[in-house]
Amino acid sequence: MSLRAYQQAATRAENPREMEYRLFGQVTRALMDASQAPVDDIATRIDALDWNRKVWSALATDCALPENQLPIQMRASIISLSLWVGRHSSAVMRKEETFEPLIEINRMIMQGLSGRPEAA
């Protein structure tokens, strides 16, 4: 079985919540790896921060759609978090902040997606 066939089968077997959990797990792992990378490894840092920012931007865009069925307060919170992630990511790149708050936010989201406090 090819990798593509496996990925398609895995995608079909997951519900949207599980897919979001898996995505957050992958991007959070990238942030963790980037936080441990040498300071001069700019590519690793940029790639992880950019990927995380794109994930959050996609969530914010989805929450801004009128057909989104999440409660309005939750949608507003996700959009606010997305804006914060963008600002904090820029500060991390300027070496004014650390990766840890980004990792912790993602872990909290993973906990919510799993429904189990110890999941992330």
Side-chain angles (χ1 to χ4, degrees), residues 63 68 70-81:
C63 285
N68 187 298
L70 289 175
I72 191 75
Q73 185 58 40
M74 183 179 289
R75 292 166 50 191
S77 295
I78 290 170
I79 291 169
S80 292
L81 277 172

Side-chain angles (χ1 to χ4, degrees), residues 8 23 29 32 56 63 66 87 90 104 107 111 113 120:
Q8 288 173 344
L23 174 61
R29 170 52 58 197
M32 292 168 69
W56 279 98
C63 285
R87 287 190 305 271
S90 295
E104 288 304 312
R107 284 180 173 162
Q111 287 173 351
L113 288 168

Side-chain angles (χ1 to χ4, degrees), residues 54-74:
K54 285 177 181 176
V55 167
W56 279 98
S57 179
L59 289 173
T61 299
D62 187 59
C63 285
L65 297 173
E67 61 268 17
N68 187 298
Q69 296 180 8
L70 289 175
I72 191 75
Q73 185 58 40
M74 183 179 289

Side-chain angles (χ1 to χ4, degrees), residues 27 30-31 34 42-53 93:
V27 75
L31 289 171
I42 302 299
T44 298
R45 297 169 63 89
I46 288 174
D47 288 347
L49 290 166
D50 186 52
W51 185 17
N52 191 56
R53 197 182 316 213
M93 279 311 303

Side-chain angles (χ1 to χ4, degrees), residues 28 32 100 102-112 120:
T28 302
M32 292 168 69
E100 196 57 35
L102 296 169
I103 293 166
E104 288 304 312
I105 291 290
N106 285 6
R107 284 180 173 162
M108 285 187 254
I109 296 298
M110 290 173 69
Q111 287 173 351

